Amino acid sequence: MARSFLSLLALLILPGAFAQTPGTSIEIDLQEQTAYLIPNGRAVLSTPISSGRYGHLTETGSFKVMDKERNHFSTMYGRIEDARGRTIVADADSDMPVPRGGKFVPAPMRYFIRFDNEIGMHAGYLPGYPASHGCVRLPEEKAIALFNAVDVGTPVTVFGRTPRG
């Protein structure tokens, strides 16, 4: 427990503390809904996740970090607000009709780590089951730690079978 806390603390305080290690990777277990940061073959951080739900499953396979963006916003998902700024569709797609005077508000995806075209890991809500449109949601403090620990090119392996809700 103390070692895990100290590893997380080092990642939060020392951005890139493990990124210089050539053997650093991320593994995402869809069945267990857990992600791991692994420098030199040893997990130093594990975190619960919420991966893609049925109809929007997170792809399995071997990937590499393609880019990172601290304050990313979705181009496809968000909410629709009316002219007064009230949310009228909480889980909206960008191609849904917007009422006159209203607007589509893109979903924030802070600490975004892209690894599969449109798909990545980012801070977000974890309801305790797969619930995203394909991205891997993380608690914010763990998203920050992973964001600080990896570079473009870091290997990402996604494996396992998404559990049914």
Side-chain angles (χ1 to χ4, degrees):
M1 180 81 152
R3 178 178 214 88
S4 172
F5 173 75
L6 291 175
S7 296
L8 176 59
L9 185 61
L11 289 169
L12 291 170
I13 294 172
L14 305 169
F18 295 103
Q20 303 307 318
T21 306
T24 298
S25 65
I26 295 173
E27 293 190 8
I28 300 168
D29 184 337
L30 298 177
Q31 178 68 40
E32 297 299 323
Q33 291 289 286
T34 305
Y36 303 92
L37 175 66
I38 304 174
N40 293 321
R42 184 171 175 196
V44 296
L45 179 145
S46 68
T47 180
I49 65 167
S50 180
S51 65
R53 64 182 182 244
Y54 278 86
H56 297 278
L57 293 175
T58 304
E59 291 290 323
T60 58
S62 297
F63 308 94
K64 290 192 182 292
V65 172
M66 300 167 75
D67 64 53
K68 296 171 24 173
E69 189 177 347
R70 192 175 309 277
N71 291 304
H72 182 74
F73 289 87
S74 176
T75 57
M76 299 185 294
Y77 305 108
R79 68 181 189 276
I80 295 175
E81 294 180 350
D82 66 14
R84 292 185 172 169
R86 295 177 298 203
T87 299
I88 56 173
V89 180
D91 189 17
D93 294 351
S94 60
D95 60 356
M96 292 175 121
V98 177
R100 186 179 182 121
K103 65 181 177 179
F104 173 78
V105 179
M109 299 174 148
R110 293 180 41 81
Y111 303 100
F112 188 74
I113 303 169
R114 183 186 317 276
F115 64 86
D116 181 21
N117 297 319
E118 312 297 315
I119 304 299
M121 297 172 271
H122 60 82
Y125 173 65
L126 276 72
Y129 51 87
S132 81
H133 289 99
C135 280
V136 176
R137 297 182 196 160
L138 308 161
E140 186 162 2
E141 69 277 2
K142 301 292 178 95
I144 293 168
L146 283 172
F147 187 89
N148 289 335
V150 302
D151 289 321
V152 170
T154 298
V156 177
T157 303
V158 182
F159 63 94
R161 190 175 165 147
T162 301
R164 292 208 178 258

